[in-house]
Amino acid sequence: MSSKKTDVLLNWLISITVIFGFSLTVIFFALSSIKELSIQEKIQYRNQALTTTAIVFLASAAMFNTYYAAKRAQAMQKNAIAAEKNLEIGIQNAKVNQDRLISERFMGAIAQLGHEKVETRTGAIYALERVAQDFSREHWTIMQILTAFVRENAPVQQVRVEQKNPEYQEAAYSGRHRGGSPSTQQLEQNLHEEFPKIRTDIQAALTVIGRRNLLEDPKEQKLDLRNIDIRRADLLGVNLQQADLRGSDLSGADLRGADLSEADLNGAKLVRSNLYETKLLKASLCGANLCWANFNRANLSGANMRSANLSGASLRVTNLQGANLYKANLQQATLKTANLSGAKLFLANLQGAKLGKANLQMTGLIGANLSGANLNGANLSGANLNAAKLHQTEIYFANLSEASLTEADLYQANLIGANLYRATFYQANLTQANLMGANFSEADLSDVKLEGTILTGAKNLELQQIVKALGDRTTRLPDYIEAPTDWRQSS
């Protein structure tokens, strides 16, 4: 029912009520004027007439009050509806203005990315960062634009041969020659190589990418920074989790405290980069060139570093627990007090590596080359060193309890004071090795070569162990053990 019809009906009701009340009053006054009535009856009729009139007027007032209250409520409802509509219109206008503002700022910044002046390009990059901060829905689009800007403006000039298939290009990063000697010339070249300074606008883009709000990143999306040349970049504390950096050159970059967990760095180059306390959990560094890099206190737990070149790298107190270092080159690397428990170092090159007090518990070192390495005080309990090369290796006071050294080559190795409890040396070569004061409790020396080996002061060494070994007159046994007859007769 419309408001006009409601008003007409209400007016008619009021009019009928007033007429009805007025008629009753007239009737009562007319009756009170009849002469035959007594004075008391006349007074009674007049009182009734006045009462009826009062009731009629009170009812009319109530009806008027109800009517205007309804009108006020109706007006308020109309105002509320109008306000709601105005609010919706305001929101729509604000959204339109916001979209226009985003579009203006967005397009303006993108247009300036191609400006010839580096200052203008740098300003545009920071303008895009502000847009990403103010308008979250544009966050990932802007990150994609900035990564594309870096890829287009800082590409690696020549993709190296070893980067084409880094996981299986052993020769490219092994640092070995046919004779097994280290490539000294290559190491010296890497150590003294000069790196160019990174462009200001490229650095700005990397800074913005590295400090983005990670919560705005869409799931299953990765930053695409493949094959970029960002040598000497300042990446201090950046967050590049799960970033794709395959084939990129980050040589000399400052990555201290950065988060590269689960990042893909296959075939990347980080020569002399600073990765102090960097997080590289489960990162992939297959075939990466990491010569002379600083990994001190970094977390490389579960990282895949197959065939990676870590020659001369510093990995002091580094966490490499469970890392895959199959065929990795760790020549002259420093791994003092590093945690390599459960790591896979099969066929790895650790020539001259410093592993003093390192944790190599249950580590796989099958066929690894540890010639000239320093393992003093290292924990090698339960480690697998089958067929490993330990020529002239320093293993002072190391813990080799229950380690397996089947067919291992320990020629002239120094194992003074080593704990060899239940260690297996089946067919190992201990020729001219120094085992003074070593603990041989329950060690297996079957078919072990002991020519010229020093065993004086050995602990818990029994005759039955010696009988199974292959020694000669040059073997120096503890005073309490007499050399077997065949040893004494050997030339």
Side-chain angles (χ1 to χ4, degrees):
M1 187 178 290
S2 65
S3 58
K4 289 184 178 180
K5 290 183 178 179
T6 304
D7 292 344
V8 171
L9 180 60
L10 189 60
N11 291 334
W12 273 106
L13 288 173
I14 293 171
S15 300
I16 292 168
T17 304
V18 171
I19 293 169
F20 178 72
F22 182 74
S23 301
L24 288 175
T25 303
V26 171
I27 291 169
F28 280 119
F29 269 100
L31 291 171
S32 63
S33 301
I34 299 173
K35 294 181 180 181
E36 287 81 7
L37 296 176
S38 63
I39 295 172
Q40 186 176 358
E41 288 176 341
K42 289 180 180 180
I43 293 171
Q44 184 178 356
Y45 279 126
R46 288 178 181 175
N47 288 338
Q48 288 178 351
L50 292 172
T51 302
T52 302
T53 304
I55 291 170
V56 169
F57 280 108
L58 286 173
S60 300
M63 291 178 69
F64 276 113
N65 185 56
T66 302
Y67 170 74
Y68 285 110
K71 291 290 284 183
R72 284 194 299 272
Q74 192 176 30
M76 290 175 67
Q77 186 178 7
K78 288 181 180 179
N79 291 335
I81 292 170
E84 187 176 352
K85 289 182 179 179
N86 290 334
L87 182 61
E88 288 177 359
I89 293 169
I91 291 171
Q92 290 176 356
N93 290 335
K95 188 177 180 181
V96 170
N97 292 332
Q98 186 185 63
D99 291 341
R100 186 172 64 252
L101 179 63
I102 294 172
S103 179
E104 291 174 356
R105 291 170 62 181
F106 195 73
M107 297 308 296
I110 291 174
Q112 290 179 336
L113 281 177
H115 201 276
E116 61 181 8
K117 289 186 177 181
V118 67
E119 312 92 79
T120 305
R121 296 196 300 270
T122 304
I125 289 164
Y126 288 119
L128 284 172
E129 180 185 28
R130 188 61 184 271
V131 173
Q133 291 172 347
D134 293 343
F135 310 106
S136 59
R137 64 176 180 162
E138 303 298 334
H139 167 86
W140 189 245
T141 302
I142 290 170
M143 292 306 117
Q144 289 178 313
I145 290 169
L146 292 177
T147 52
F149 175 80
V150 176
R151 291 196 308 273
E152 290 298 319
N153 288 274
V156 172
Q157 296 301 320
Q158 294 180 350
V159 180
R160 296 165 178 77
V161 174
E162 64 267 20
Q163 291 175 351
K164 292 181 180 178
N165 197 352
E167 193 166 355
Y168 301 103
Q169 292 292 332
E170 175 190 358
Y173 287 111
S174 64
R176 306 175 203 172
H177 294 290
R178 290 179 182 178
S181 60
S183 177
T184 307
Q185 185 177 359
Q186 182 183 359
L187 294 180
E188 289 296 323
Q189 184 179 359
N190 285 333
L191 183 60
H192 300 291
E193 184 181 354
E194 290 295 328
F195 304 128
K197 186 178 180 181
I198 190 170
R199 261 171 46 183
T200 304
D201 53 342
I202 300 300
Q203 177 62 66
L206 292 170
T207 301
V208 171
I209 293 166
R211 69 187 181 196
R212 73 196 185 286
N213 184 0
L214 200 66
L215 298 175
E216 299 290 346
D217 286 1
K219 293 181 179 179
E220 307 302 327
Q221 293 283 354
K222 296 180 180 180
L223 296 170
D224 188 354
L225 292 165
R226 290 172 294 171
N227 299 313
I228 58 172
D229 184 352
I230 51 172
R231 286 172 288 178
R232 291 180 62 185
D234 182 2
L235 300 168
L236 181 68
V238 298
N239 195 325
L240 293 172
Q241 290 183 42
Q242 300 183 343
D244 190 348
L245 288 149
R246 285 175 291 171
S248 294
D249 193 343
L250 294 93
S251 298
D254 187 352
L255 285 150
R256 287 175 295 166
D259 193 344
L260 288 157
S261 299
E262 300 184 32
D264 192 342
L265 288 147
N266 290 345
K269 188 176 180 182
L270 291 103
V271 177
R272 293 193 352 244
S273 296
N274 192 345
L275 294 111
Y276 180 81
E277 291 189 344
T278 301
K279 294 179 183 178
L280 286 151
L281 284 83
K282 297 182 179 180
S284 187
L285 292 138
C286 294
N289 189 348
L290 310 165
C291 291
W292 307 104
N294 180 357
F295 283 95
N296 294 342
R297 296 185 178 275
N299 191 345
L300 284 150
S301 177
N304 188 353
M305 305 172 79
R306 289 170 60 94
S307 302
N309 186 1
L310 287 146
S311 56
S314 182
L315 297 109
R316 296 173 186 266
V317 203
T318 302
N319 184 4
L320 287 152
Q321 188 174 11
N324 186 351
L325 289 149
Y326 174 75
K327 287 188 177 181
N329 181 12
L330 289 148
Q331 282 181 280
Q332 306 296 327
T334 301
L335 292 132
K336 291 181 179 179
T337 66
N339 182 7
L340 288 145
S341 60
K344 299 176 182 67
L345 286 149
F346 308 133
L347 301 175
N349 184 2
L350 290 146
Q351 286 180 286
K354 301 173 181 65
L355 290 145
K357 296 184 179 180
N359 182 6
L360 291 148
Q361 187 175 16
M362 304 300 293
T363 301
L365 288 150
I366 298 174
N369 188 350
L370 289 145
S371 300
N374 186 325
L375 287 153
N376 295 339
N379 181 7
L380 287 149
S381 60
N384 190 338
L385 289 144
N386 294 343
K389 297 176 183 178
L390 294 127
H391 294 184
Q392 300 178 337
T393 304
E394 298 289 331
I395 319 176
Y396 283 37
F397 301 101
N399 182 7
L400 285 152
S401 60
E402 300 184 344
S404 181
L405 293 109
T406 299
E407 297 183 358
D409 191 347
L410 291 125
Y411 176 74
Q412 292 186 344
N414 196 333
L415 291 112
I416 292 175
N419 181 10
L420 306 174
Y421 171 73
R422 285 191 174 180
T424 301
F425 287 91
Y426 178 69
Q427 293 187 345
N429 181 12
L430 283 161
T431 303
Q432 297 183 26
N434 189 344
L435 291 122
M436 290 179 62
N439 177 20
F440 282 88
S441 178
E442 299 183 40
D444 183 1
L445 299 174
S446 300
D447 296 328
V448 175
K449 295 179 181 180
L450 294 173
E451 291 89 347
T453 305
I454 301 172
L455 294 161
T456 54
K459 301 174 182 177
N460 302 312
L461 182 62
E462 298 177 3
L463 181 59
Q464 60 183 7
Q465 293 171 295
I466 290 298
V467 170
K468 294 178 181 179
L470 307 172
D472 61 12
R473 287 184 296 177
T474 62
T475 305
R476 296 168 60 181
L477 296 168
D479 295 337
Y480 62 89
I481 294 178
E482 187 176 347
T485 305
D486 56 331
W487 288 20
R488 293 195 298 272
Q489 294 175 349
S490 61
S491 58

